């Protein structure tokens, strides 16, 4: 068996966000003669060589492929796009390892899907990826995207719920050849990533571009995030998007998504807002609800239109956030008290999207992927793949 560089063990643990004590406990190291921390310390110092079974455990606990542990040196942190950025001061730095693991997972899924499309002669490059630049007018880019999507704003607003509006937009996006996933954790609620860490991200590949929407966000915000990430793809900019709209590319993508969902001219329909904070909030809430958009989007448009000043925008945004968090907590309590719940496979299909399920189903039927690879693409155990891809 090849010798393992102990620096790899330290790097893998630290990038997984684990202390040496926490890792030793998760790996179930130690015994009567030696503590787990001491045992792991010996492996990491190189005074003791890890066995293959232990490396397999480490691969699972650290969320790394087994081959990683046989690299000669820890890999250099890769460039992942302009917006795969260091988390600013207001964000949770402890979430960075979880976010890195999520990004790695989606990169692997994208490459597997791309490989399937290449094997089946379906890997036709999408000409709209990277077809726009930051120097082009926002309204022009918005019109181009809408036309390519065949997006009808009235149809979007006629949907009964915000979930149905999002499904409408997601369906149009997937028809273009873009895969849209809803992911906000690594498979358990313990690894949930808040919108302070990321709202969505895009892999702007010519073949099999991926968009991930953080499903920990309010459902009414999902459509905006999807359009924001589509703008990233049109720009050809792979990247992770958060709440920092000061960055040029983030502001540009926000403006495109805003123009599509809430054309600037419509903001004038709100009329004079006055100075009463409660009345302003009420007017924004009613206005947003009728258009199947978030209140924060309306506030952003008001700011851009100079109908409110920056301090008002910050105050309203924070108040809407607190209101949503309170409502989410209430719904969680109600869900905990309710009996049963949605079917596992129904939920999973919704998370990964019809496009990804369909590609995987065809690949299995034609023998292009094993159940193990199919499970990696879909984010489930190999034993659950057949039930997930079975026709509903």
């Amino acid at each position: 068996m090849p010798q393992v560089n102990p620096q790899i063990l330290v790097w893998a643990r630290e990038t997984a966000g684990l202390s040496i004590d926490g890792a030793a406990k998760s790996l179930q190291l130690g015994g009567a003669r030696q503590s787990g921390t001491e045992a792991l310390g010996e492996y990491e110092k190189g005074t003791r060589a890890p066995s293959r079974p232990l490396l397999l455990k480490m691969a699972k606990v650290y969320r790394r492929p087994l081959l990683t542990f046989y690299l000669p040196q820890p890999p250099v942190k890769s460039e992942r796009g302009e917006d795969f950025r260091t988390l600013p001061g207001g964000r949770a730095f402890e979430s960075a390892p979880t976010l890195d693991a999520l990004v790695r997972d989606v990169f692997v899924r994208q490459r597997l899907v791309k490989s399937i499309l290449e094997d089946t002669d379906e890997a036709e490059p999408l000409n709209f990826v990277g077809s726009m630049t930051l120097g082009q007018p926002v309204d022009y880019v918005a019109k181009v995207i809408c036309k390519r999507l065949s997006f009808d704003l009235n149809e979007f607003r006629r949907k009964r719920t915000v979930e149905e509006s999002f499904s409408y937009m997601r369906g149009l996006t997937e028809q273009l050849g873009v895969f849209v996933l809803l992911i906000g954790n690594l498979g358990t609620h313990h690894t949930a990533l808040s919108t302070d860490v990321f709202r969505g991200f895009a892999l702007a590949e010519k073949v099999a571009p991926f968009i991930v929407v953080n499903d920990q966000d309010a459902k009414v915000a999902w459509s905006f995030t999807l359009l924001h990430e589509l703008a990233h793809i049109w720009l050809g900019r792979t990247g992770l998007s958060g709440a920092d709209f000061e960055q040029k590319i983030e502001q540009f993508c926000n403006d495109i998504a805003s123009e599509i969902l809430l054309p600037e001219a419509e903001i004038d329909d709100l009329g004079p807002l006055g100075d009463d904070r409660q009345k302003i909030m009420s007017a924004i809430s009613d206005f947003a609800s009728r258009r199947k958009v978030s209140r924060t989007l309306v506030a952003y448009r008001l700011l851009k239109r100079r109908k409110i000043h920056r301090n008002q925008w910050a105050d309203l945004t924070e108040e809407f956030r607190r209101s949503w968090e309170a409502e989410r907590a209430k719904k969680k309590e109600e869900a905990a008290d309710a009996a049963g719940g949605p079917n596992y496979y129904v939920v999973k299909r919704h998370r990964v999207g019809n496009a990804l399920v369909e590609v995987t189903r065809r690949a299995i039927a034609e023998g292009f992927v094993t159940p193990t690879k199919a499970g990696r693409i879909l984010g489930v155990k190999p034993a659950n793949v057949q039930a997930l891809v079975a026709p509903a």
Side-chain angles (χ1 to χ4, degrees):
M1 184 175 69
Q3 187 174 0
V4 175
N5 182 347
Q7 293 179 13
I8 291 285
L9 303 183
V10 177
W11 165 82
R13 172 177 59 76
E14 289 180 345
T15 55
L18 293 171
S19 66
I20 191 167
D21 292 337
K25 183 176 180 180
S26 296
L27 293 167
Q28 298 178 318
L29 294 176
R33 297 182 178 180
Q34 185 182 44
S35 72
T37 301
E38 290 171 339
L40 184 54
E42 290 185 4
Y43 292 121
E44 292 189 354
K45 291 174 184 175
T47 57
R48 186 175 177 186
S51 64
R52 182 176 174 81
L54 177 56
L55 288 174
L56 287 169
K57 275 189 179 182
M58 287 180 170
K60 183 176 181 180
V61 171
Y62 298 163
R63 296 183 178 275
R64 293 280 180 182
L66 179 62
L67 288 176
T68 300
F69 296 90
Y70 298 109
L71 293 172
Q73 296 291 334
V76 177
K77 190 175 180 68
S78 62
E79 175 60 42
R80 297 172 296 175
E82 178 178 331
D83 291 315
F84 284 114
R85 54 191 179 272
T86 303
L87 303 180
R91 302 195 184 184
F93 281 87
E94 64 272 15
S95 297
T98 305
L99 181 58
D100 277 344
L102 174 62
V103 171
R104 288 196 305 270
D105 178 65
V106 176
F107 263 94
V108 169
R109 293 195 199 194
Q110 189 276 332
R111 278 154 179 71
L112 288 171
V113 172
K114 181 180 178 181
S115 176
I116 289 172
L117 295 178
E118 289 172 342
D119 289 342
T120 56
D121 294 325
E122 298 177 51
E124 184 175 347
L126 302 176
N127 61 10
F128 58 83
V129 179
S131 62
M132 294 294 172
T133 69
L134 288 171
Q136 292 174 299
V138 166
D139 59 346
Y140 171 72
V141 178
K143 287 176 183 176
V144 168
I145 292 176
C146 283
K147 184 176 180 180
R148 187 64 182 261
L149 275 175
S150 298
F151 175 71
D152 184 331
L153 182 58
N154 291 324
E155 180 68 18
F156 175 86
R157 291 175 176 175
R158 275 196 295 267
K159 299 301 181 183
R160 187 173 57 87
T161 65
V162 294
E163 293 94 333
E164 290 178 4
S165 294
F166 171 74
S167 293
Y168 164 69
M169 173 122 19
R170 184 189 203 176
L172 296 178
T173 303
E174 291 186 333
Q175 286 176 23
L176 291 183
V178 180
F179 296 87
V180 181
L181 286 71
L182 288 165
I183 307 176
N185 60 43
L186 294 176
T188 68
H189 69 275
H190 300 294
T191 56
L193 289 160
S194 77
T195 54
D196 288 334
V197 178
F198 91 107
R199 291 185 181 278
F201 85 75
L203 300 185
E205 301 287 332
K206 286 284 189 179
V207 175
F210 267 48
I211 286 175
V212 172
V213 175
N214 188 346
D215 62 6
Q216 302 299 310
D217 203 355
K219 291 180 180 179
V220 72
W222 289 358
S223 293
F224 180 89
T225 298
L226 173 51
L227 284 171
H228 178 107
E229 301 310 327
L230 262 182
H232 269 269
I233 287 175
W234 244 266
L235 291 169
R237 301 289 191 96
T238 285
L240 185 78
S241 304
D244 183 7
F245 79 93
E246 296 294 347
Q247 290 198 30
K248 186 176 182 180
I249 188 171
E250 288 296 273
Q251 184 172 344
F252 187 76
C253 293
N254 276 346
D255 288 346
I256 290 171
S258 300
E259 181 62 25
I260 292 173
L261 289 178
L262 186 57
E264 187 175 3
E266 288 192 18
I267 289 297
D268 293 334
D269 295 343
L270 265 171
L273 292 172
D275 297 319
D276 188 303
R277 181 175 182 267
Q278 198 59 45
K279 287 183 178 179
I280 292 175
M281 290 177 57
S282 179
I284 290 175
S285 296
D286 292 342
F287 187 84
S289 179
R290 291 195 301 271
R291 289 162 175 79
K292 301 293 192 300
V293 297
S294 69
R295 294 174 294 180
T296 53
L297 170 54
V298 177
Y300 177 74
R301 291 304 256 170
L302 287 169
L303 174 67
K304 297 288 288 185
R305 194 72 167 172
R306 297 184 179 178
K307 286 182 170 287
I308 60 174
H309 53 71
R310 192 177 185 85
N311 289 340
Q312 280 181 294
W313 168 79
D315 173 59
L316 289 168
T317 300
E318 182 58 30
E319 183 58 36
F320 291 145
R321 178 189 178 92
R322 284 197 294 264
S323 173
W324 168 68
E325 287 179 344
E327 181 65 23
R328 182 176 64 167
K330 180 181 178 183
K331 287 182 178 179
K332 280 187 176 180
E333 288 181 6
E334 292 172 351
D337 294 337
N343 178 274
Y344 168 82
Y345 295 105
V346 171
V347 172
K348 225 21 175 172
R349 287 190 198 101
H350 178 58
R351 292 285 186 265
V352 301
N354 292 330
L356 201 59
V357 169
E358 184 56 32
V359 164
T360 308
R361 178 189 295 126
R362 294 201 315 267
I364 292 171
E366 296 173 20
F368 285 106
V369 295
T370 63
T372 299
K373 283 189 177 180
R376 187 68 190 273
I377 293 170
L378 298 171
V380 299
K381 294 178 180 179
N384 292 335
V385 167
Q386 284 296 341
L388 183 60
V389 302

